[in-house]
Amino acid sequence: MADEEKTLVEILEEHNPIDLAKYINYVSAPQAGAIATFAGTTRDTFDGKVVMELRYEAYVPMAIRCIKSISSSARSSWNLHSIAVAHRLGPVPVGETSVFIAVSAVHRVDALDACKYLIDELKASVPIWKKEVYANGEVWKENSEFLERRLDLGKDGSFCGEKVKANHVHDRKSCCGAKVKVNNEGDDAHDRKSCCGTKVKVNNEGNDAHDRKSCCGAKVKVNNEGDARISDQ
């Protein structure tokens, strides 16, 4: 069986809980002496605030491609048998699982190290966004891994192995609901980033961007106020 046939990646729609047993069974095999798993669950407090639930959104096609790419990278570093990754979208109440990873290998060191790598890379680079809903409000949160990775992204213009290219101006959309900061100084966009933290190259030709793309290949809508808001296509 080819490597890709031993890798299962699923982004689950709203109100579909993750069946942990399904993914553990998927990676189980007689030759696999170790199965390492990670389950990310919603906790009831954050920074002294009462958490009611988490809500997740994703650019699903790009998220799946990214997770498969990360899985391929894991296989190149460790001797793995099977990989399964599942992530929920929509509301995830306290105590329920939002992300689950299962990795099988002949030896435990490979399974454990690869499992940690997969969740760290998922948090750092996959276009899935989290909102924390409190008893008295809500806020979109950025993962610490993503914030650290943002310092490195843009050096080669890539995100999950895909190049980022964009031209200037109106009617651009990207994959998430965050803002893209754009200045109007007439210079070449030192301060512009896509929703994933990757810098988006923008020219000042005044043309309407036939070639413009965010990190996920979607468009970025830019207004004349000096910022850009991400919207659905």
Side-chain angles (χ1 to χ4, degrees):
M1 186 182 294
D3 282 351
E4 53 267 27
E5 294 176 323
K6 294 184 278 186
T7 300
L8 176 63
V9 176
E10 294 187 336
I11 305 294
L12 305 178
E13 295 300 324
E14 292 191 17
H15 310 299
N16 283 322
I18 295 176
D19 182 354
L20 308 188
K22 169 186 173 180
Y23 302 103
I24 293 173
N25 289 337
Y26 177 84
V27 302
S28 298
Q31 62 269 47
I35 295 176
T37 65
F38 171 82
T41 60
T42 303
R43 62 180 183 271
D44 61 359
T45 57
F46 176 80
D47 212 15
K49 293 174 282 200
V50 176
V51 175
M52 309 302 292
E53 65 182 15
L54 300 179
R55 294 177 189 164
Y56 290 91
E57 294 183 7
Y59 185 76
V60 174
M62 184 66 172
I64 291 174
R65 288 198 299 273
C66 281
I67 295 172
K68 287 182 176 179
S69 176
I70 292 166
S71 298
S72 295
S73 296
R75 289 187 180 281
S76 69
S77 300
W78 296 279
N79 184 17
L80 306 178
H81 183 272
S82 301
I83 299 171
V85 180
H87 204 300
R88 286 178 65 174
L89 299 182
V92 182
V94 170
E96 294 191 15
T97 300
S98 58
V99 58
F100 185 71
I101 296 172
V103 182
S104 63
V106 174
H107 302 294
R108 69 178 182 275
V109 171
D110 287 332
L112 288 167
D113 288 352
C115 189
K116 182 180 185 303
Y117 169 81
L118 285 163
I119 187 59
D120 287 348
E121 286 298 307
L122 187 154
K123 292 288 188 180
S125 61
V126 175
I128 298 175
W129 303 279
K130 175 177 69 178
K131 178 185 285 186
E132 286 190 347
V133 180
Y134 309 118
N136 59 349
E138 57 188 36
V139 63
W140 288 101
K141 299 297 293 293
E142 290 179 320
N143 297 313
S144 59
E145 296 89 349
F146 168 77
L147 295 172
E148 292 169 5
R149 181 64 55 83
R150 184 159 60 188
L151 298 176
D152 297 327
L153 287 172
K155 290 181 179 178
D156 62 356
S158 65
F159 178 77
C160 281
E162 299 192 10
K163 290 291 182 180
V164 178
K165 186 176 181 180
N167 294 333
H168 188 45
V169 183
H170 308 289
D171 199 26
R172 300 182 198 165
K173 296 178 183 177
S174 170
C175 48
C176 57
K179 285 187 176 181
V180 179
K181 187 174 181 182
V182 179
N183 60 42
N184 288 316
E185 303 298 323
D187 58 351
D188 239 2
H190 303 294
D191 210 7
R192 298 165 208 184
K193 295 188 178 75
S194 74
C195 52
C196 313
T198 311
K199 289 183 179 178
V200 178
K201 185 177 180 182
V202 180
N203 65 36
N204 294 304
E205 305 289 331
N207 60 338
D208 239 0
H210 303 293
D211 211 1
R212 48 185 157 16
K213 292 182 181 177
S214 73
C215 53
C216 346
K219 295 180 180 179
V220 181
K221 185 174 183 180
V222 181
N223 61 32
N224 293 317
E225 304 294 325
D227 66 1
R229 180 171 299 279
I230 295 173
S231 55
D232 295 330
Q233 296 193 64

